Amino acid sequence: MKIGVVVAGSTYTPELVSGLTRVPLDELVLMDVDGERLDVVGGLARRMLERAGYQGGLILTGDLDTAVEGASFV
């Protein structure tokens, strides 16, 4: 299952990622047009997922099409 998170540079994203660690995901895509914020939140998300033993892929992107294409949920 793929989940795309739009406006992932938000301060609410880490809380969402924390909850998603309990969901069997193949891919999590974090999308935001603000690359600097995305890098900060994405780095935190990566560390959280690693600590939780997440085995899926994590993609950080500024492209909306990449985030939503093939996603089960957005």
Side-chain angles (χ1 to χ4, degrees):
M1 174 174 37
K2 174 182 174 179
I3 292 182
V5 179
V6 178
V7 193
S10 165
T11 57
Y12 293 103
T13 300
E15 187 174 354
L16 175 64
V17 169
S18 177
L20 290 175
T21 61
R22 299 187 226 30
V23 177
L25 295 178
D26 298 311
E27 186 173 61
L28 176 61
V29 181
L30 301 180
M31 180 271 166
D32 202 295
V33 296
D34 186 330
E36 187 174 331
R37 289 183 64 99
L38 182 60
D39 287 343
V40 171
V41 174
L44 176 58
R46 186 175 312 281
R47 291 188 301 275
M48 292 171 68
L49 292 169
E50 287 173 359
R51 175 176 261 177
Y54 175 69
Q55 298 297 312
L58 175 64
I59 297 173
L60 307 180
T61 185
D63 181 60
L64 181 61
D65 290 336
T66 299
V68 301
E69 185 177 341
S72 300
F73 299 97
V74 177

